[in-house]
Amino acid sequence: MEILGTITLLIFIVTLVATLLGWIKMPVQTVLIGITLVNIVLALIFFGLQGMADELRLVPADVIGRIILHPVTALLGGLFMGGVLGAAGGFEAIKAIVNRLRKTPLGLAGTLVILINIPLITMLPCGRIIAAALLPLLFMFGPEGSGTLRKTQLIVFIAAFARNSFGSCGPSPVGGVAQIAEGTLGGATFPDAAAGILRGPQVFSLMIGTAFMALFIRFVTKRLYPEDTVQIKDREGGVEPEIKVNWKGYTSLIIFALALLTATFISFIPSLKFITVQAIFVAASILIIIVCRVSLGDLMTGIILMPATAMVAGFLAAGSLYPTGGMQVLQSIFKGLAAFPLLGVVGTLVILVQAQTILPLSCSRILTAVFVPLIYVFGKGVGLTDLQIGIVMAAYIINATTSCAPSPLGGAGMMAEGQLRAETGYLKGAFSFTSLAVMAPLAAVFMRFITLDVFARNPQTGQMMFTATWGHLGQTILWSLVIMAAAYGLIVVMSRLITASLGRNRKVLIASFGLGGVLCGISLALALRLGEPVAGTSLGVSLVQGIIGGIIAAVLIALMIQVSFAGPPLKENVQAVEG
Amino acid sequence: MFTFIVFIIAGALTGLITTYALDMKTRKELAQGTRGGVIRAKIRALLGPKKMSGRRGASPGRASHRLAPTKEIWQTKNKKKTSRR
């Protein structure tokens, strides 16, 4: 069984890495289905040769049974709503409202801040929905549209929006990525986890991560293009489009907002808890179809199938590792890493937290199906408490959720780069850096001091296990400020070291990522100490292990996603400026 | 309540940082950005999970043994408040 597990795990990892590095040029869903089929066939041959008839019969059912239907159906409900909203003109209504906001005391700056954060406010199950709808509008703020923003400002603006958008699928109550982890955490200690135990940490870290994405891109762009000469390839006839919204757009938006509020709060009303979010969103979508007279053709064009197929393919490929013993082998590997003194439990956890940014796929749901159960079982195996597992899960899930942005396999970040008409990969470094050094540590801190107060219950008595105090609030703010200050310092120093030399830039980036990993390792090691040592190690040892784990994870991220600043157009530009 | 406070502080700070990153540095612009950040954070805080009372809506079989202690906690807190007065 161990041999079979090793083989299937090798097939899974090698194929994924080969796809990531561009050696296999197929959609990742196709690759995953291929992995599943090969693993099933291998299992059938292995069990047939061993004469294990019962195991052989159960293999297909075991693989199919790993598909968790709730997030899939919730995602489809959310995508259905996104399609209806687009067809009825709901997104046009959002644009019109934003235009009006500019004339209020919020002014342009306040409106831009709200606009950047609209994905986090609407919380759709895939950031691509809102990004596809709003990116053209955002671009029109630039020199080719209304001319409100300069080119550098436009790049910062779109980059921040992209960061916010391609992380907003995590806290979504309708099929959000975090629901997979919330379902796993729900148990004796967190009986109400499904009500959104990971939502608070994700929102908190994504808010700050978005601001740091803007900072990162600002400093780098200003360094590379000091005279605001950044080359956005010209497009003819750029003018700000006139936004026409009829009553259907506003009506659909109101129905969507009411459905979102109902879906968010219904789990807190015991007598109505049996109504699922899927039912609410499908009912609201049907209401929009009837009231706004949306045709089925319009509706279908708005639905994005990629996240749903990615999720199912991910569940299947991960599922094929269970009956073949691949998951046990993976657990053994991480247990082996944890037994290595320099890395230990904390260092291994830091690597696990960053796993999906190391292997960024087009949709984070694919690998979440593998790593969520792995982290849970690994945590239990090395003696972590439920609260500590909750903290690790909070850090992991924000990192996982945001990993689709820097993915070279049709990652969502490419939408933003395409809209900017910048070279592919310009935003990649910033996406990964914010996930690594800012968001994961902040999510752990928020979970540690604030969210446990809402969710953690003693399994025996049902009483809350942790009560947040003003002291905890102060610690949250202090830790967050320290993490933000350190990340800010790293970004500033890194941007000052960037030159026209691509080779040097790459070294600078790897070093910066390494220090970002150190920040993540220290933060996680400190957040995990809930009055008792982590897996029996002292604070000093935990910190060292966290730092080593962080550096390994960070260097792997920098190497795997080929982080760099600049293709030929940027290089020429820098040389021209310096010349 | 703590979630709300943290969100508001984070919202104000990130609004400020984002505005600065957008190269809008006048006092008016920074204030507008901060205001935008606070509004966004308020909306998000209102949509976030709240601390649950005794009626948590868990399945009846599991909830029964937890309702009483939660009620006791509530009573204890009230007693403390009364004694302070």
Side-chain angles (χ1 to χ4, degrees):
Chain A
M1 191 74 173
E2 276 181 11
I3 298 167
L4 177 66
T6 310
I7 293 170
T8 54
L9 183 64
L10 269 176
I11 291 172
F12 181 79
I13 293 173
V14 170
T15 315
L16 275 187
V17 171
T19 312
L20 206 54
L21 296 176
W23 299 338
I24 298 175
K25 296 188 188 303
M26 276 197 284
V28 71
Q29 290 96 322
T30 313
V31 172
L32 288 164
I33 295 295
I35 293 173
T36 311
L37 290 175
V38 170
N39 283 355
I40 288 176
V41 169
L42 281 175
L44 293 177
I45 294 170
F46 181 84
F47 291 136
L49 290 174
Q50 298 280 320
M52 299 159 80
D54 288 342
E55 283 82 355
L56 190 144
R57 273 200 301 271
L58 285 173
V59 169
D62 204 354
V63 174
I64 300 288
R66 299 288 169 181
I67 299 175
I68 308 170
L69 277 179
H70 175 68
V72 177
T73 52
L75 172 64
L76 288 173
L79 292 172
F80 190 51
M81 171 58 93
V84 174
L85 209 55
F91 293 124
E92 299 302 310
I94 291 178
K95 294 173 190 174
I97 291 169
V98 165
N99 264 354
R100 281 183 200 169
L101 274 178
R102 287 164 66 180
K103 293 160 195 161
T104 66
L106 268 179
L108 178 64
T111 307
L112 292 182
V113 170
I114 290 184
L115 200 49
I116 285 170
N117 287 280
I118 275 185
L120 194 56
I121 295 169
T122 52
M123 287 194 300
L124 289 171
C126 180
R128 286 175 169 91
I129 302 171
I130 196 107
L134 292 187
L135 274 174
L137 167 82
L138 305 191
F139 193 72
M140 283 302 144
F141 277 90
E144 295 180 29
S146 62
T148 313
L149 300 177
R150 296 192 312 275
K151 284 180 179 175
T152 309
Q153 287 177 309
L154 182 70
I155 289 175
V156 172
F157 180 47
I158 288 188
F161 175 83
R163 173 70 296 166
N164 199 271
S165 192
F166 307 132
S168 63
C169 54
S172 172
V174 271
V177 182
Q179 284 189 332
I180 301 170
E182 284 167 355
T184 307
L185 281 178
T189 308
F190 303 117
D192 303 304
I197 186 171
L198 300 173
R199 214 176 288 161
Q202 286 183 95
V203 171
F204 175 69
S205 52
L206 192 55
M207 275 198 289
I208 298 175
T210 301
F212 271 78
M213 177 83 187
L215 266 186
F216 189 108
I217 291 297
R218 173 192 189 268
F219 280 114
V220 169
T221 308
K222 282 223 155 196
R223 175 71 183 164
L224 289 173
Y225 309 104
E227 302 300 325
D228 202 14
T229 55
V230 60
Q231 296 293 315
I232 295 177
K233 291 159 204 162
D234 292 331
R235 195 169 75 173
E236 289 173 8
V239 284
E240 192 168 18
E242 194 185 337
I243 299 165
K244 289 178 183 171
V245 190
N246 56 21
W247 63 271
K248 289 179 185 175
Y250 290 113
T251 310
S252 64
L253 196 61
I254 290 167
I255 296 172
F256 165 70
L258 289 175
L260 187 65
L261 283 173
T262 314
T264 306
F265 290 111
I266 203 156
S267 58
F268 299 100
I269 307 167
S271 55
L272 295 177
K273 208 179 175 183
F274 65 93
I275 302 174
T276 60
V277 288
Q278 293 91 321
I280 295 163
F281 267 62
V282 170
S285 304
I286 291 170
L287 189 64
I288 294 174
I289 289 172
I290 293 168
V291 175
C292 302
R293 294 171 198 165
V294 178
S295 73
L296 200 62
D298 290 340
L299 168 70
M300 295 306 283
T301 53
I303 295 176
I304 305 172
L305 278 178
M306 201 284 276
T309 53
M311 192 189 241
V312 174
F315 280 138
L316 282 173
S320 73
L321 294 179
Y322 284 92
T324 57
M327 201 53 98
Q328 286 94 319
V329 174
L330 195 59
Q331 283 162 20
S332 307
I333 291 171
F334 279 104
K335 274 190 180 170
L337 282 178
F340 187 59
L342 276 176
L343 209 53
V345 172
V346 178
T348 310
L349 284 172
V350 174
I351 294 175
L352 274 172
V353 160
Q354 301 290 343
Q356 285 203 227
T357 308
I358 297 171
L359 290 170
L361 299 183
S362 52
C363 183
S364 56
R365 291 172 172 92
I366 297 166
L367 282 183
T368 306
V370 177
F371 281 104
V372 163
L374 178 70
I375 289 173
Y376 190 81
V377 175
F378 173 79
K380 285 280 179 192
V382 296
L384 294 190
T385 63
D386 282 348
L387 304 186
Q388 286 170 329
I389 292 175
I391 292 168
V392 175
M393 207 64 95
Y396 162 77
I397 206 74
I398 187 65
N399 198 277
T401 301
T402 51
S403 68
C404 65
S407 172
L409 304 172
M414 285 180 178
M415 286 173 75
E417 288 162 355
Q419 186 65 53
L420 279 173
R421 280 168 274 137
E423 62 271 30
T424 303
Y426 186 67
L427 304 178
K428 209 190 277 180
F431 280 133
S432 301
F433 184 83
T434 49
S435 297
L436 164 78
V438 181
M439 289 197 269
L442 286 173
V445 168
F446 191 88
M447 187 76 175
R448 162 74 177 85
F449 291 114
I450 305 292
T451 303
L452 291 183
D453 172 56
V454 183
F455 284 93
R457 284 176 185 273
N458 185 318
Q460 272 75 46
T461 63
Q463 290 185 355
M464 302 309 292
M465 286 176 76
F466 178 83
T467 305
T469 60
W470 288 100
H472 290 120
L473 178 73
Q475 285 194 60
T476 310
I477 295 167
L478 184 68
W479 282 37
S480 304
L481 287 176
V482 169
I483 291 169
M484 288 161 73
Y488 177 79
L490 270 177
I491 291 171
V492 171
V493 171
M494 181 202 63
S495 65
R496 287 192 181 164
L497 293 174
I498 286 176
T499 62
S501 161
L502 290 179
R504 181 189 153 106
N505 284 357
R506 182 138 183 77
K507 284 174 194 161
V508 168
L509 271 166
I510 291 175
S512 312
F513 269 62
L515 290 173
V518 170
L519 183 59
C520 176
I522 292 174
S523 308
L524 202 65
L526 288 172
L528 279 174
R529 290 188 73 83
L530 284 156
E532 71 260 34
V534 185
T537 50
S538 67
L539 178 60
V541 174
S542 291
L543 284 172
V544 172
Q545 290 174 341
I547 288 170
I548 294 172
I551 291 172
I552 293 172
V555 172
L556 281 174
I557 290 171
L559 292 176
M560 280 301 295
I561 62 167
Q562 299 289 310
V563 174
S564 64
F565 277 122
L570 275 180
K571 190 181 174 186
E572 285 163 17
N573 201 319
V574 172
Q575 282 168 345
V577 169
E578 293 196 344
Chain B
M1 183 183 71
F2 288 126
T3 305
F4 190 80
I5 295 170
V6 175
F7 272 25
I8 296 297
I9 295 169
L13 201 56
T14 53
L16 188 70
I17 294 171
T18 310
T19 314
Y20 171 77
L22 283 167
D23 235 2
M24 297 176 162
K25 292 176 187 168
T26 66
R27 272 190 192 175
K28 189 184 170 190
E29 284 169 336
L30 290 173
Q32 286 174 343
T34 310
R35 212 175 293 153
V38 170
I39 290 173
R40 171 272 315 264
K42 270 186 192 169
I43 296 170
R44 276 304 321 163
L46 291 173
L47 288 172
K50 307 286 179 297
K51 194 159 188 166
M52 302 198 181
S53 64
R55 295 186 300 145
R56 292 177 307 101
S59 61
R62 290 191 301 150
S64 55
H65 71 282
R66 293 197 200 98
L67 290 176
T70 316
K71 196 177 172 186
E72 282 166 23
I73 294 169
W74 184 80
Q75 284 169 343
T76 319
K77 281 183 179 172
N78 271 5
K79 272 179 194 173
K80 278 180 187 171
K81 279 181 188 170
T82 318
S83 61
R84 276 179 203 156
R85 282 174 205 161

